[in-house]
C-alpha cells in the first residue's frame, strides 16, 4: 500500500451526505486484519514463510504513535507473558478501485477528507491472556487533545468533536491519543484499513457464515437482501452485511455495531479454528492480503512483532474473547443524532482492562434490537470454569456485547 497513513489524497473518499449508511463495517475486518490476522501472520513468520517482500510491504507508510509507550523488541516467540498490549483498529471511508465499482455514487463525491468511521480498541491482557474489543460509536462526541501530525505540525485540541472526524483532523496517532485519554489505556499499536481492504481480507479467508433472524434483511441502500437462516458472505456481500443499517434492529448506527459484532465473533472463531491454521495456503494468502491492505503504526510494521502478538492469542479461550460496545448517552446538544460518553458506566470496563481481569457480561448481547442469541453451540470445553483462573469482572448491564463462545443472529427487517 503506497502513500503516508494520514494523506487524504491516497484514495477516493466516500461521502456521508450521499448515502446515510456510514461505514462501521470495516470494524469486523479490522479485527480480522490486525488482532486475528496477526495470528495468521505469526504462523507464517514462525513457519518461515515470511520473506523480504512481505516485510517491506507490511511496513510501507507506517507512522509513529504519539505517546504510544514502550514495547518489547521484535523476536521469535510470543509477546512477553508479563506484558499487556493494545491495538487500535481504524476503518476509514476511503474508496479504492473495487469499492468504487461496487458503490458508484457514494465513492464519487470527493470534496471532503478521510473519516475514521470505525474505531476498535483491541486490548490483550498479560498472561493468563484475555481479549476485549471495544467498539466506539462513530458519532461519539469526545474531547480531542492537542496532537502532533505526521508532518510535524500541531493540531489544536477540541473540547467536543465527533470521534469519526479525528483522523482527518490529525491522523491515526491523534485517534489513538484521543481514545487513550478517554479510557486511560495505553495504545502501543495501531492499523488502518479501507473499503477495498475489507473486501480483500474477507475473500482471503473464504467468507464468513452469518445468521439472520427476524424478517430477514433487506436494505436497498446497502445493497443487501438475505432471508432468514445462515448465509456465507464474502467480498461485496460481506461489505453490504457490515454496512447495513436500515436492515437490522431499529435502523440506527448503534444497532449496526451489535450486528457487526456477530460478524466479528464468527470471523474470530473461524480464524482461530484448526481448519484455518492447518492450511498453509490459506495462512499465506491471508498474510499477503493483510500486508497489502492494512497500514500499520511503526511498531506494528515488523512481521516478527505481528508474530509475537499473534502467538499471545493462540491459547485464549472463546469465553475470554469479548466484544463490547462503549456505553453512551444521548447528546443533549444534538439529541437523536450524536451521543456522548457514559463515563460512569464505562469505569468498571476500564478498571477490568487495567487489572487484566477477564470480563463477564451481565447485559444484553445487543443494543437497539439488532441481534439475538441463537441456539448455543456445543460446549467444546473452552468455557469450563478454571478454579485457578484470574478473578472475573462483571460489567454493568448497560454495556452490551458478546463473547466468541456465544452465537447470535441479526434481527433483520425489510427496509426500503
Amino acid at each position: 500500500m503506497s502513500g503516508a497513513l494520514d494523506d487524504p489524497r491516497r484514495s477516493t473518499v466516500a461521502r456521508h451526505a450521499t448515502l446515510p449508511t456510514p461505514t462501521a463495517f470495516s470494524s469486523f475486518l479490522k479485527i480480522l486484519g490486525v488482532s486475528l490476522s496477526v495470528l495468521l501472520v505469526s504462523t507464517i513468520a514462525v513457519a518461515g514463510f515470511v520473506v523480504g517482500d512481505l516485510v517491506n510491504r507490511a511496513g510501507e507508510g507506517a507512522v509513529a504513535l504519539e505517546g504510544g509507550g514502550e514495547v518489547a523488541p521484535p523476536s521469535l516467540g510470543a509477546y512477553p507473558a508479563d506484558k499487556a498490549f493494545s491495538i487500535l483498529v481504524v476503518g476509514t471511508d476511503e474508496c479504492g478501485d473495487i469499492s468504487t465499482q461496487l458503490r458508484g455514487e457514494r465513492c464519487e463525491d470527493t470534496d471532503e477528507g478521510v473519516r475514521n468511521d470505525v474505531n476498535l480498541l483491541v486490548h490483550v491482557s498479560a498472561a493468563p491472556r484475555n481479549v476485549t474489543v471495544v467498539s466506539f460509536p462513530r458519532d461519539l462526541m469526545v474531547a480531542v487533545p492537542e496532537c502532533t501530525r505526521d508532518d510535524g505540525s500541531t493540531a489544536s485540541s477540541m473540547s467536543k468533536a465527533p470521534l469519526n472526524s479525528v483522523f482527518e483532523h490529525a491522523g491515526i496517532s491523534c485517534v489513538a491519543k484521543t481514545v487513550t485519554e478517554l479510557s486511560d489505556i495505553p495504545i502501543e499499536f495501531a492499523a488502518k484499513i479501507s473499503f477495498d481492504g475489507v473486501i480483500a481480507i474477507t475473500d482471503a479467508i473464504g467468507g464468513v457464515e452469518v445468521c439472520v433472524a427476524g424478517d430477514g434483511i433487506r436494505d436497498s441502500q446497502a445493497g443487501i437482501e438475505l432471508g432468514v437462516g445462515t448465509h456465507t458472505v464474502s467480498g461485496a456481500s460481506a461489505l453490504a452485511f457490515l454496512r447495513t443499517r436500515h436492515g437490522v434492529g431499529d435502523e440506527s448506527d448503534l444497532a449496526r455495531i451489535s450486528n457487526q459484532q456477530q460478524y466479528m465473533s464468527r470471523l474470530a472463531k473461524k480464524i482461530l479454528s484448526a481448519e484455518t491454521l492447518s492450511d498453509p495456503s490459506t495462512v499465506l494468502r491471508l498474510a499477503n492480503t493483510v500486508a497489502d491492505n492494512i497500514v500499520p503504526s511503526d511498531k506494528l510494521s515488523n512481521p516478527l512483532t505481528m508474530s509475537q502478538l499473534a502467538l499471545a492469542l493462540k491459547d485464549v479461550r472463546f469465553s475470554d474473547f469479548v466484544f463490547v460496545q462503549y456505553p453512551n448517552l444521548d447528546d443533549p446538544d444534538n439529541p437523536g443524532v450524536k451521543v456522548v460518553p457514559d463515563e460512569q458506566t464505562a469505569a468498571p470496563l476500564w478498571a477490568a482492562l487495567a487489572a487484566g481481569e477477564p470480563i463477564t457480561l451481565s447485559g444484553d448481547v445487543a443494543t437497539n434490537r439488532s441481534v439475538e442469541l441463537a441456539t448455543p453451540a456445543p460446549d467444546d470445553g473452552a468455557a469450563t470454569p478454571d478454579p485457578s483462573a484470574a478473578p472475573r469482572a462483571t460489567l454493568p448491564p448497560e454495556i452490551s456485547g458478546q463473547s466468541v463462545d456465544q452465537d447470535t443472529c441479526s434481527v433483520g427487517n425489510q427496509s426500503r
Side-chain angles (χ1 to χ4, degrees), residues 90-92 114-119 163-168 175:
V90 167
T92 58
V114 179
R115 295 178 184 268
N116 52 302
D117 272 353
V118 175
N119 303 275
L163 182 58
N164 76 333
S165 69
V166 178
F167 183 87
E168 179 184 1
V175 181

Side-chain angles (χ1 to χ4, degrees), residues 26-185:
S26 303
S27 59
F28 312 83
L29 280 301
K30 260 100 233 208
I31 267 300
L32 156 73
V34 182
S35 172
L36 298 177
S37 71
V38 142
L39 180 70
L40 286 315
V41 174
S42 81
T43 306
I44 304 267
V46 174
F49 291 129
V50 170
V51 294
D53 179 55
L54 180 58
V55 172
N56 293 333
R57 284 185 289 137
E60 190 173 353
V63 300
L65 296 183
E66 184 180 1
E70 297 299 318
V71 302
S75 65
L76 289 175
Y79 203 71
D82 62 341
K83 293 184 179 296
F85 61 88
S86 295
I87 307 171
L88 177 73
V89 183
V90 167
T92 58
D93 61 359
E94 298 161 275
C95 290
D97 292 341
I98 299 173
S99 50
T100 297
Q101 293 175 12
L102 293 172
R103 310 183 70 238
E105 294 180 1
R106 182 174 171 81
C107 291
E108 291 175 359
D109 190 351
T110 62
D111 58 345
E112 294 185 28
V114 179
R115 295 178 184 268
N116 52 302
D117 272 353
V118 175
N119 303 275
L120 299 173
L121 176 63
V122 183
H123 180 78
V124 182
S125 73
R129 303 285 190 186
N130 62 78
V131 180
T132 304
V133 182
V134 184
S135 298
F136 295 89
R138 66 181 187 89
D139 292 325
L140 185 70
M141 303 297 290
V142 295
V144 179
E146 181 178 277
C147 296
T148 301
R149 297 187 178 96
D150 190 38
D151 62 5
S153 63
T154 298
S156 61
S157 62
M158 297 183 286
S159 61
K160 188 177 183 182
L163 182 58
N164 76 333
S165 69
V166 178
F167 183 87
E168 179 184 1
H169 176 64
I172 197 171
S173 177
C174 195
V175 181
K177 190 173 182 181
T178 300
V179 172
T180 291
E181 295 222 347
L182 180 64
S183 64
D184 203 27
I185 300 295

Side-chain angles (χ1 to χ4, degrees), residues 28-29 31-32 36-37 39-40 201-210 231-235 238 262-279 282-283 285-286 318 321 323 380 404-407:
F28 312 83
L29 280 301
I31 267 300
L32 156 73
L36 298 177
S37 71
L39 180 70
L40 286 315
I201 292 175
T202 313
D203 285 346
I205 199 63
V208 175
E209 185 179 85
V210 296
H231 306 267
T232 298
V233 295
S234 63
Q262 185 224 151
Y263 184 96
M264 285 193 288
S265 178
R266 290 174 182 267
L267 179 62
K269 192 176 296 185
K270 180 170 184 177
I271 292 181
L272 293 171
S273 70
E275 177 184 355
T276 297
L277 298 181
S278 63
D279 184 349
T282 299
V283 171
R285 182 171 62 252
L286 182 56
F318 286 171
F321 202 127
F323 298 90
D380 61 2
V404 172
D405 66 341
Q406 293 177 302
D407 285 333

Side-chain angles (χ1 to χ4, degrees), residues 394-407:
T394 300
L395 298 186
E398 293 84 0
I399 298 180
S400 68
Q402 72 171 89
S403 57
V404 172
D405 66 341
Q406 293 177 302
D407 285 333

